[in-house]
Amino acid sequence: MARTMWDSTVGKKTVMAVSGLIMLLYLVAHMIGNLKIYFGAGEFNHYAHWLRTVGEPFMHYEWTLWLIRIVLVVAVVAHATSAYQLSRRDIKARPSKYVHARPRSSYATRTMRWGGVILGLFIVWHLLDLTTGTVHSGGFQEGHPYQNVVDTFSTWYGDVVYIVAMLALGLHIRHGFWSAAQTLGVGSRARDRALKTVANVLALLLTAGFIAVPVGVMTGVVS
Amino acid sequence: MKLTLRVWRQKNAGAEGAMSTYEVDGISSDMSFLEMLDVLNERLILAGEDPVAFDHDCREGICGACSLVINGDAHGPERTTTCQLHMRSFQDGDTIDIEPWRASAFPVIKDLVVDRSAFDRIIQAGGYVTAPTGSAPEAHATPVPKADADFAFEHAECIGCGACVAACPNGAAMLFTSAKVNHLNVLPQGAPERETRVLDMVAQMDAEGFGGCTLTGECATACPKGIPLVSITGMNKEWLRAARKVGKR
Ligand code: HEM
Ligand code: FES
């Protein structure tokens, strides 16, 4: 079964859809969590601490968080690997372009590959910035995420990188969510409008919700 | 009408091809696109030149032989086959670009003719039903719900022309394969091979070097028979169901 999946273009696309939806689910939770920044350092830092103690006493300190991290790393790797392999195959299947070219398909559809690469790079930068603090501007303080976030969005490049990535995310989800429904065989003529609407609403809410944080810092509402 | 044609000319599969420019005059707007090419070829033959090779057979939109990318669109600007496209869709003085289907699974044989036998092999991989042949069965011996019959017929309309592959930026044969799979998988006559059909046809499709689906919808827009994009969704569903069932065995 696993071999059947990975060896087939249809199966590999299924891996992409499922891993994409796992990441999407996480992002909805992540976005809602981030908005707590508007309730001040106390509440935000407390929330961050809670993330490490979820599931106690059954789970040890940070076990749940690590479980989520492992699932996400597996999802990112599975998603990127299948995206890379399928894209390579697609390009090989259509080596010569038409002389009479015309723009095809929607912007969101055409930018899935480059948008995905932008997201991949962003994920690396984001972790090095706010999880490990390796590339953080100013002194990174473990356990003080509120201050770290404010520091990041007090630099122009922090804002630009983040906002560009979130716009790419919105486009990726706009085509990705609807696509995943088709890949998993749950799309239909009757559901098409509903699926497209949900895709657009999710894309818009996530992009706006994530961008609200740097905007808060830039406008001085969060400081 | 007087037209400027820019046509892909390629001596054989191994040769380098290029666009060549021709002027044609005296074209009637009632001519079909292929008749317009016939006019061009008669002149080329009279001038002692090699006529442009292109595929055609029925010229009534049912065989799936004709296959040209006209101004970047498979089968040209109307939703029909090239043989059913008429010159009234163009203006006097137009320049028209004519190219072959482009996909590595459809190599060019000569000029505008490509080898589409990959489609035959996909059909062979799963395309028969275990049903007694010989005398025609009683029409009501196997009841088929009306909705299923309509669904099967909608997909049976596929003529295998390959416009879906030509239009797809990934050179994917998903719409073609899904038309064949859905056509037979919904009917009771196709039920015994329901799982093997979809698994084998998709495997053959991959083996032929077609690309994968990124749901751009270009295939369904190009399809002269209006096979809808959700056919691909339906085939994905059949494939996942089959992979699960066969995996359990
Ligand atoms: C490592 C970074 C990423 C890369 C390289 C990447 C790349 C891709 C590519 C190439 C596709 C296929 C596009 C197409 O079918 O036209 C895709 C689809 C998708 N992506 Fe991503 N992506 C990345 C990150 C994400 C993230 C963070 C999410 C979470 C929301 C996501 C969700 C999806 C979904 C739901 C699909 C649809 C799957 C399908 O078509 O069935 N991706 N991705
Ligand atoms: S020649 Fe038969 S469909 Fe066009």
Side-chain angles (χ1 to χ4, degrees):
Chain A
M1 172 95 186
R3 266 256 80 88
T4 318
M5 291 296 275
W6 194 248
D7 287 348
S8 161
T9 51
V10 174
K12 206 167 277 184
K13 185 92 183 171
T14 308
V15 173
M16 206 143 103
V18 171
S19 55
L21 290 177
I22 290 172
M23 290 188 280
L24 178 60
L25 207 66
Y26 166 78
L27 289 180
V28 172
H30 189 23
M31 187 271 287
I32 295 170
N34 285 359
L35 290 178
K36 297 202 170 54
I37 198 116
Y38 277 97
F39 300 106
E43 181 157 346
F44 191 71
N45 289 347
H46 176 69
Y47 161 68
H49 179 72
W50 171 81
L51 285 176
R52 284 151 180 82
T53 59
V54 196
E56 282 183 8
F58 180 72
M59 298 298 254
H60 184 66
Y61 181 76
E62 282 199 348
W63 274 15
T64 310
L65 188 64
W66 274 105
L67 199 70
I68 295 171
R69 283 172 175 170
I70 290 164
V71 170
L72 285 174
V73 167
V74 171
V76 171
V77 171
H79 194 81
T81 310
S82 42
Y84 174 77
Q85 293 185 356
L86 285 172
S87 299
R88 280 282 304 262
R89 185 192 172 90
D90 294 348
I91 293 163
K92 227 178 99 195
R94 180 64 179 284
S96 26
K97 303 273 162 279
Y98 290 109
V99 173
H100 191 112
R102 60 166 181 77
R104 288 174 186 278
S105 62
S106 74
Y107 188 73
T109 310
R110 275 181 283 136
T111 52
M112 286 304 270
R113 286 179 195 150
W114 282 111
V117 170
I118 290 176
L119 288 175
L121 293 173
F122 170 76
I123 292 170
V124 174
W125 176 80
H126 187 58
L127 292 178
L128 292 177
D129 179 30
L130 288 169
T131 306
T132 66
T134 320
V135 300
H136 190 68
S137 57
F140 180 80
Q141 304 170 60
E142 183 93 48
H144 293 87
Y146 185 92
Q147 195 53 47
N148 294 335
V149 168
V150 171
D151 287 347
T152 287
F153 295 133
S154 301
T155 63
W156 66 267
Y157 58 86
D159 293 322
V160 170
V161 168
Y162 196 87
I163 290 171
V164 167
M166 292 309 104
L167 292 174
L169 178 71
L171 286 171
H172 203 82
I173 289 169
R174 184 190 156 119
H175 181 67
F177 179 80
W178 175 82
S179 291
Q182 313 309 315
T183 303
L184 299 175
V186 297
S188 72
R189 254 179 275 234
R191 282 194 211 126
D192 205 53
R193 273 185 72 119
L195 282 169
K196 283 195 167 131
T197 309
V198 173
N200 286 340
V201 168
L202 271 174
L204 210 68
L205 279 182
L206 280 173
T207 305
F210 277 122
I211 288 182
V213 179
V215 167
V217 177
M218 284 193 282
T219 54
V221 178
V222 175
S223 62
Chain B
M1 295 168 82
K2 187 173 184 323
L3 300 163
T4 305
L5 305 177
R6 298 201 301 160
V7 185
W8 182 263
R9 302 302 310 261
Q10 183 175 335
K11 269 209 148 47
N12 54 53
E16 282 271 325
M19 298 295 271
S20 295
T21 306
Y22 304 95
E23 306 279 335
V24 279
D25 206 348
I27 300 297
S28 150
S29 61
D30 290 335
M31 282 181 180
S32 76
F33 199 85
L34 297 185
E35 284 167 336
M36 182 276 292
L37 286 179
D38 291 339
V39 171
L40 169 69
N41 276 346
E42 280 168 8
R43 294 194 191 156
L44 288 176
I45 292 166
L46 284 178
E49 289 179 49
D50 193 21
V52 177
F54 61 89
D55 267 327
H56 61 104
D57 188 14
C58 70
R59 295 206 177 196
E60 54 183 41
I62 55 166
C63 74
C66 57
S67 55
L68 301 175
V69 171
I70 302 163
N71 285 341
D73 288 318
H75 291 303
E78 314 283 340
R79 179 176 269 216
T80 185
T81 53
T82 296
C83 60
Q84 291 295 298
L85 176 68
H86 289 84
M87 295 314 293
R88 54 182 163 269
S89 299
F90 300 88
Q91 303 281 323
D92 186 33
D94 274 0
T95 298
I96 306 175
D97 288 336
I98 309 171
E99 300 174 71
W101 280 180
R102 291 284 186 207
S104 47
F106 284 169
V108 173
I109 297 173
K110 183 175 179 359
D111 297 339
L112 302 169
V113 177
V114 300
D115 180 359
R116 283 171 283 183
S117 48
F119 269 13
D120 300 338
R121 290 187 292 272
I122 293 177
I123 301 243
Q124 281 163 15
Y128 67 89
V129 293
T130 316
T133 54
S135 58
E138 283 289 340
H140 57 264
T142 311
V144 180
K146 175 80 165 78
D148 290 354
D150 287 347
F151 182 87
F153 190 76
E154 186 182 10
H155 291 93
E157 277 193 67
C158 168
I159 52 176
C161 63
C164 44
V165 175
C168 177
N170 310 321
M174 289 286 280
L175 195 69
F176 165 76
T177 310
S178 71
K180 301 303 167 196
V181 165
N182 288 333
H183 166 202
L184 293 174
N185 273 27
V186 72
L187 294 174
Q189 290 90 339
E193 301 84 10
R194 186 170 167 188
E195 290 84 25
T196 50
R197 178 179 302 113
V198 61
L199 292 176
D200 292 348
M201 289 179 94
V202 168
Q204 187 63 35
M205 179 187 88
D206 287 347
E208 295 291 346
F210 290 105
C213 181
T214 55
L215 293 148
T216 65
E218 290 293 335
C219 53
T221 307
C223 178
K225 297 298 162 181
I227 307 292
L229 189 58
V230 283
S231 295
I232 292 178
T233 313
M235 178 168 77
N236 289 337
K237 189 173 172 181
E238 284 293 315
W239 191 91
L240 288 170
R241 179 185 168 280
R244 242 181 288 129
K245 279 197 104 170
V246 171
K248 269 194 217 127
R249 266 183 218 151

